[in-house]
């Protein structure tokens, strides 16, 4: 049952699950919007291997599509820019889905992010603790590889013949030196794990964990070397410029704000073509309110979903709350 069918089968005010009256009661939650459904995950898998957003429709213009293809052929990172809500991050999931490259490996960048965390993590404290416990129990402690886990970039470099898709999300939020730090790994396609390269002869091959749940890979003499360069999608909100050396090694893709025709196509792709006549006024209101960077496409989808669910968006400023501007002070 869709959200619209769920609500029309009840009284007109039934969409108000929360009434602010105080007494507790049991409610039946309506179906979520298609883009906010998290079912179908493998409960035995980690978040990285869980069902991705890949099945969602993704619409892209021919010029933008050709730039993506050029990056795939050249094995170069794709630097994707554009206003919030233009589909920068979703592009990585769309590529992974259409090319059957598995779940996206995502590295969300913030001001404290470092290259090292994207490559691997060594739990030295955990190893020391485990060694001490095993000594008291007269047992053998796990090897060093048990305490090493590759990060998203490190995992993307170890492939089984098919490249993985790596999403470096919001690189412009990172330290000013981070783009240049990435260049070495992108150009050489390898990195070293010193804790493994210092091991004595006879311990050349060590199994380490990846970012893919319980998967492991073998690292030879502490060097992780890619056989097939990953599909790298780097997003930026344009908060600052990147060094020329970094830009020279990327293909740049700027995603424009969708025009009216594209907006209607997006609504139809997510909610069905029969939804368009019922949300025509919402599309016009969205276009009238939108200034560059101040409204995101998913806000229109949210408004359309509520309208189709029987919600009166014109009542009590609800439309204003859903289509609120993204910039400026609140």
């Amino acid at each position: 049952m869709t959200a619209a069918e769920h609500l029309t089968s009840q009284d007109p005010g039934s969409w108000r699950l929360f009434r602010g009256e105080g007494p507790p009661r049991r409610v039946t939650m309506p179906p979520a919007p298609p883009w906010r459904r998290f079912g179908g995950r493998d409960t035995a898998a980690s978040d990285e291997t869980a069902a991705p957003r890949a099945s969602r429709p993704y619409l892209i213009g021919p010029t933008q599509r050709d730039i993506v293809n050029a990056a795939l052929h050249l094995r170069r990172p794709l630097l994707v820019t554009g206003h919030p809500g233009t589909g920068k991050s979703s592009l990585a999931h769309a590529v992974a889905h259409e090319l059957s490259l598995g779940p996206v490996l995502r590295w969300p960048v913030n001001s404290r992010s470092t290259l090292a965390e994207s490559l691997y993590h060594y739990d030295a404290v955990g190893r020391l603790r485990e060694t001490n416990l095993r000594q008291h129990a007269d047992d053998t402690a796990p090897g060093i590889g048990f305490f090493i886990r590759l990060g998203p970039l490190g995992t993307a470099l170890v492939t089984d013949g098919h490249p993985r898709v790596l999403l470096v999300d919001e690189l412009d939020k990172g330290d000013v030196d981070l783009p240049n730090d990435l260049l070495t790994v992108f150009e050489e396609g390898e990195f070293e794990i010193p804790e493994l390269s210092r091991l004595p002869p006879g311990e050349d091959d060590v199994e380490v964990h990846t970012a893919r749940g319980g998967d492991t890979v073998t690292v030879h003499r502490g060097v992780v070397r890619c056989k097939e360069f990953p599909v790298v999608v780097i997003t930026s909100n344009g908060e600052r410029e990147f060094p020329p050396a970094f830009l020279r090694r990327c293909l740049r893709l700027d995603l424009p704000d969708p025009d009216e025709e594209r907006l209607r196509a997006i609504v139809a792709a997510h909610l069905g073509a029969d939804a368009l006549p019922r949300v025509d006024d919402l599309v016009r209101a969205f276009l009238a309110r939108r200034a560059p960077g101040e409204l995101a496409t998913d806000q229109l989808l949210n408004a359309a979903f509520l309208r189709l669910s029987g919600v009166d968006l014109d009542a009590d400023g609800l439309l204003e709350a859903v289509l609120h501007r993204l910039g400026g002070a609140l």
Side-chain angles (χ1 to χ4, degrees):
M1 178 182 292
T2 66
E5 292 169 338
H6 176 89
L7 288 171
T8 53
S9 65
Q10 303 181 58
D11 64 273
S14 62
W15 78 274
R16 294 185 174 89
L17 304 175
F18 172 73
R19 300 175 183 172
E21 297 172 346
R25 69 187 196 285
R26 293 279 185 181
V27 299
T28 300
M29 294 295 290
W35 52 91
R36 292 297 297 167
R37 293 174 187 166
F38 302 96
R41 295 176 183 263
D42 179 359
T43 55
S46 68
D47 287 344
E48 192 277 319
T49 57
R53 298 177 295 174
S55 58
R56 300 177 191 173
Y58 190 86
L59 303 180
I60 188 170
T63 301
Q64 291 77 30
R65 180 192 60 210
D66 288 345
I67 296 175
V68 174
N69 281 297
L72 294 174
H73 281 275
L74 294 172
R75 307 302 199 273
R76 287 292 185 182
L78 187 66
L79 178 59
V80 186
T81 59
H83 293 131
T86 51
K88 299 187 296 295
S89 300
S90 299
L91 176 60
H93 294 271
V95 171
H97 172 65
E98 188 170 323
L99 302 185
S100 300
L101 297 179
V104 172
L105 292 156
R106 178 172 176 262
W107 180 28
V109 176
N110 58 51
S111 59
R112 299 178 301 279
S113 296
T114 63
L115 176 64
E117 76 179 35
S118 75
L119 297 176
Y120 77 99
H121 172 70
Y122 171 48
D123 185 7
V125 174
R127 186 186 183 198
L128 178 61
R129 182 176 60 247
E130 188 71 18
T131 300
N132 290 333
L133 289 174
R134 297 298 180 109
Q135 283 179 346
H136 290 301
D138 196 22
D139 196 4
T140 303
I144 187 173
F146 183 82
F147 302 95
I148 292 178
R149 179 176 295 277
L150 300 181
L153 175 53
T155 301
L157 292 176
V158 289
T159 63
D160 54 1
H162 296 281
R164 293 295 304 275
V165 176
L166 171 67
L167 171 61
V168 183
D169 216 2
E170 299 188 333
L171 181 61
D172 52 332
K173 292 187 180 299
D175 183 82
V176 65
D177 293 326
L178 187 56
N180 281 332
D181 293 340
L182 281 168
L183 282 182
T184 301
V185 179
F186 285 160
E187 288 302 292
E188 297 182 359
E190 65 179 40
F191 68 95
E192 182 184 41
I193 302 177
E195 291 84 356
L196 299 183
S197 60
R198 292 194 296 259
L199 292 176
E203 298 184 44
D204 294 346
D205 296 322
V206 178
E207 276 200 4
V208 302
H209 296 281
T210 72
R212 303 166 58 185
D215 289 356
T216 61
V217 295
T218 300
V219 177
H220 180 71
R221 296 306 305 163
V223 177
V224 174
R225 182 177 292 112
C226 78
K227 296 179 181 178
E228 185 70 38
F229 191 75
V231 178
V232 181
V233 177
I234 303 170
T235 70
S236 169
N237 290 321
E239 295 186 4
R240 62 176 174 81
E241 287 294 325
F242 295 115
F246 178 80
L247 294 175
R248 180 169 61 86
R249 290 168 171 83
C250 298
L251 266 70
R252 185 160 184 171
L253 170 61
D254 185 57
L255 293 179
D257 294 327
D259 57 17
E260 181 174 355
E261 181 181 358
R262 180 61 58 82
L263 284 174
R264 294 183 185 279
I266 291 173
V267 171
H270 283 83
L271 299 173
D274 56 344
L276 289 175
R278 299 179 57 187
V279 300
D280 183 71
D281 61 321
L282 294 179
V283 175
R284 293 198 305 270
F286 179 87
L287 290 168
R289 291 166 176 257
R290 184 178 71 178
E294 289 198 353
L295 286 179
T297 305
D298 58 350
Q299 291 175 284
L300 173 61
L301 290 174
N302 290 338
F305 179 79
L306 289 176
R307 167 66 60 78
L308 296 173
S309 299
V311 177
D312 181 10
L313 284 171
D314 296 324
D316 303 323
L318 186 56
L319 183 62
E320 185 71 30
V322 176
L323 296 184
H324 62 85
R325 63 194 181 105
L326 302 178
L330 297 178

